[in-house]
Amino acid sequence: MSEEIKKETTVESKAPAKGTVEVKPSRNTDSKSDAPRSRGPRKPFDKDAKGKGNRRPRKNNRRDFKRENEFEEKVVNVARVTTVVKGGRRFSFSVLVVIGDKKGKVGYGHGKAGEVPDAIKKAIKDAKKNLVTVPMIDKRTIPHEIKGKFISSNILLKPAPKGKGLIASGGVRAVIELAGYKDVVTKSLGSSNKTNVVKATVEALKQLRTVEEIAKLRDISVSQVLGRG
């Protein structure tokens, strides 16, 4: 009986006790020893003549959304609009923006939204649809004197000698400056409404014609237009 009891105790000692976890050897260990396997020395990172390494080229799927904005914008007027409804009052903002590339292109636009930044974005988008190309003399002034009218706003534009600068203010200055003119004398007559003044200025610029354009329309030479022929 004593020998049978000894055999049972030896068998129970070999079995793992409940609640214990068996530790298995890791895959990185060698069968002969428990030391981890060595990966060996790393390959040197050599650069070629162009400065590129021996690694695989990384795929660049990112798109470059940074685009240079060719137009400059100027906010001429910001007005808060109140709409009375059955439930009370609703407030929004109306913005007038003038854009131009200072190379002969200029336009204006309106935008209306609940916030000023959103209204400005809408106004810029609308202004890009209303761009006009205007003539320039020596990249600084207008070719001749001209008048522009919109409703009750009248604008007078005159060419100026070099170094005179822009004699203008408000919406007139914004339009002329963003169009690219540097020497122009202006005079605002009639109503001083900012929206009407901007529209009257753009209407005046639309009527400008160079000597070559007038000669082509009349089918005569440039010297005849200037009275020299």
Side-chain angles (χ1 to χ4, degrees):
M1 291 291 294
S2 62
E3 293 180 357
E4 292 179 357
I5 293 169
K6 289 181 179 179
K7 288 181 180 180
E8 288 179 358
T9 54
T10 53
V11 171
E12 289 178 357
S13 61
K14 292 180 180 180
K18 292 183 178 180
T20 58
V21 179
E22 293 184 7
V23 179
K24 297 182 180 180
S26 60
R27 296 180 180 178
N28 296 331
T29 56
D30 196 358
S31 59
K32 295 182 180 179
S33 62
D34 295 337
R37 296 180 182 177
S38 60
R39 297 181 179 179
R42 292 184 178 182
K43 295 181 180 180
F45 185 75
D46 299 329
K47 291 185 177 181
D48 54 7
K50 295 182 179 179
K52 298 180 179 180
N54 53 11
R55 297 178 181 176
R56 290 184 298 176
R58 182 180 296 176
K59 293 182 180 180
N60 188 8
N61 296 325
R62 297 179 181 177
R63 297 179 181 178
D64 189 12
F65 290 102
K66 294 182 180 180
R67 299 178 181 177
E68 295 183 359
N69 190 6
E70 58 178 345
F71 295 104
E72 295 183 17
E73 62 269 0
K74 192 170 185 180
V75 179
V76 177
N77 186 32
V78 178
R80 193 178 73 169
V81 181
T82 305
T83 305
V84 180
V85 295
K86 185 177 180 180
R89 295 180 180 179
R90 293 181 180 177
F91 298 98
S92 59
F93 295 92
S94 178
V95 178
L96 175 65
V97 174
V98 178
I99 67 170
D101 60 352
K102 293 187 176 182
K103 296 179 182 179
K105 287 186 178 181
V106 67
Y108 63 90
H110 292 273
K112 189 176 180 181
E115 299 293 337
V116 176
D118 296 335
I120 293 175
K121 290 179 181 179
K122 290 183 179 180
I124 294 173
K125 188 177 180 179
D126 183 42
K128 290 181 179 180
K129 300 177 182 178
N130 302 322
L131 287 172
V132 295
T133 304
V134 297
M136 300 178 68
I137 301 298
D138 299 332
K139 297 181 180 180
R140 63 175 187 84
T141 188
I142 59 178
H144 55 84
E145 182 179 330
I146 193 68
K147 288 183 179 180
K149 182 179 180 181
F150 187 83
I151 306 179
S152 59
S153 296
N154 296 308
I155 301 298
L156 174 64
L157 306 178
K158 290 183 178 181
K162 189 175 183 180
K164 183 71 174 179
L166 293 177
I167 310 300
S169 62
V172 184
R173 186 180 185 89
V175 175
I176 294 176
E177 187 176 2
L178 292 178
Y181 295 111
K182 298 178 182 178
D183 303 305
V184 179
V185 177
T186 69
K187 182 66 178 177
S188 178
L189 307 169
S191 174
S192 60
N193 183 277
K194 294 181 179 180
T195 303
N196 294 342
V197 166
V198 169
K199 292 182 178 181
T201 307
V202 174
E203 289 296 325
L205 294 177
K206 286 181 181 179
Q207 301 175 26
L208 292 174
R209 297 289 183 273
T210 60
V211 179
E212 291 79 11
E213 291 176 350
I214 295 173
K216 187 177 181 180
L217 290 172
R218 297 182 182 180
D219 197 14
I220 57 178
S221 62
V222 176
S223 58
Q224 288 177 341
V225 175
L226 298 175
R228 299 174 183 175

